[in-house]
Amino acid sequence: MQEVSSSSVELPIHLRARTITRRLIVAVMCLTLAGALSGYFWLLEFPFPASKWFYELFSLDGELNIPAWYSAFSLLFCSGLLKTISVIKTQDRHFAYWKTLYFIFVYLSLDEAFSFHEILIIPSVRQSLHLNPLFFQTWVIPGAILVGVFAFKYLKFWFNLPHKTRYLFLIAAVVYVGGGLGMEMVGGLLRVDFGRRTLITFIGIFVEEFLEMVGIVIFIYALLAYLSSLKEGIQLKIYISEK
């Protein structure tokens, strides 16, 4: 009978908050520069054939392309860190908050990849209610309500966080929501006043996506720094069997 070895194999993975943050910042800068170039091609209405391919691949306002997948995976990484914290905090009185945050970021990751929120963009509602151009993208109305409810529900939780984590969370939230919700509203106003294919409208899109990506990077750093204060090392065990 073949004997199965019971010895374990260690595969150490070192997650250094500052190193990861620096690398993510480089990735964000590269994506925004590529997005700016794709926007230049878009404004010129694709001066040569490859420019349209480049735009579809790196457009900051596009779907199922490199910037969208980057944002989706970075949000998924946030959810993984939140899941780890929730496991550590199982006996903590704020366990439910961490677990809910984990599910929220799983949804945000899927939404970034597949744009579920666009289901709530209903032109007929905008036209029938004569909404202000700030609400051109009608999803921002329920989005703003949900953000308000979230802020109210999590206020006590936020006050109980360590000083550094508390303010990093606040900065990340302001930057991310300011881009994802605030600049989306400004973008709607610019689109109505100046048209879709204009430089100022593209600048609004550029700022929106840049703020979203930067907000995620700040949040990742905050989570990694907080996690390091809880545990110096975390053991992940994987059991493999034939059956």
Side-chain angles (χ1 to χ4, degrees):
M1 181 179 294
Q2 184 179 1
E3 293 184 2
V4 179
S5 174
S6 60
S7 61
S8 60
V9 178
E10 290 189 6
L11 297 173
I13 300 174
H14 299 280
L15 298 179
R16 296 181 176 90
R18 292 185 180 180
T19 301
I20 290 174
T21 302
R22 284 194 292 266
R23 290 175 180 175
L24 288 176
I25 289 172
V26 171
V28 168
M29 296 303 297
C30 290
L31 288 172
T32 51
L33 287 174
L37 183 58
S38 73
Y40 174 73
F41 293 149
W42 176 65
L43 291 171
L44 294 181
E45 299 186 9
F46 311 117
F48 51 91
S51 61
K52 187 172 184 180
W53 168 83
F54 188 88
Y55 170 78
E56 292 173 350
L57 196 62
F58 290 102
S59 170
L60 295 175
D61 196 33
E63 299 175 13
L64 301 177
N65 61 8
I66 292 177
W69 285 115
Y70 163 80
S71 294
F73 280 113
S74 60
L75 286 165
L76 191 62
F77 184 51
C78 288
S79 71
L81 295 175
L82 288 164
K83 178 63 175 179
T84 305
I85 294 172
S86 69
V87 170
I88 296 172
K89 292 279 190 176
T90 303
Q91 303 302 321
D92 189 271
R93 61 194 177 100
H94 294 125
F95 165 72
Y97 290 95
W98 290 110
K99 188 175 181 180
T100 302
L101 274 176
Y102 157 69
F103 285 116
I104 288 173
F105 273 82
V106 169
Y107 170 78
L108 289 175
S109 174
L110 293 172
D111 182 67
E112 190 67 41
F114 302 109
S115 299
F116 296 143
H117 66 275
E118 292 193 359
I119 297 173
L120 299 175
I121 300 177
I122 309 172
S124 59
V125 172
R126 180 176 65 244
Q127 294 165 4
S128 61
L129 297 178
H130 304 289
L131 294 176
N132 187 284
L134 286 171
F135 306 111
F136 181 84
Q137 306 285 9
T138 51
W139 74 264
V140 301
I141 299 174
I145 294 171
L146 288 173
V147 168
V149 172
F150 174 85
F152 176 76
K153 291 286 187 180
Y154 270 76
L155 188 60
K156 187 176 180 180
F157 165 80
W158 179 74
F159 273 117
N160 282 278
L161 290 171
H163 180 82
K164 179 181 178 180
T165 306
R166 185 191 315 158
Y167 286 100
L168 283 173
F169 274 28
L170 178 62
I171 294 169
V174 170
V175 173
Y176 183 77
V177 175
L181 188 63
M183 285 305 301
E184 184 83 350
M185 296 171 70
V186 173
L189 181 63
L190 295 176
R191 186 168 176 172
V192 171
D193 289 348
F194 299 96
R196 185 172 182 270
R197 195 183 289 268
T198 61
L199 177 60
I200 191 168
T201 301
F202 171 72
I203 291 174
I205 294 170
F206 180 89
V207 173
E208 174 190 338
E209 299 300 327
F210 179 73
L211 288 177
E212 283 188 28
M213 289 190 286
V214 170
I216 297 169
V217 172
I218 296 171
F219 191 59
I220 287 173
Y221 173 74
L223 290 174
L224 285 170
Y226 179 69
L227 194 52
S228 68
S229 70
L230 298 177
K231 295 285 184 180
E232 185 176 344
I234 298 171
Q235 289 187 343
L236 174 64
K237 293 185 177 181
I238 301 176
Y239 299 94
I240 303 173
S241 63
E242 185 178 354
K243 296 182 179 180

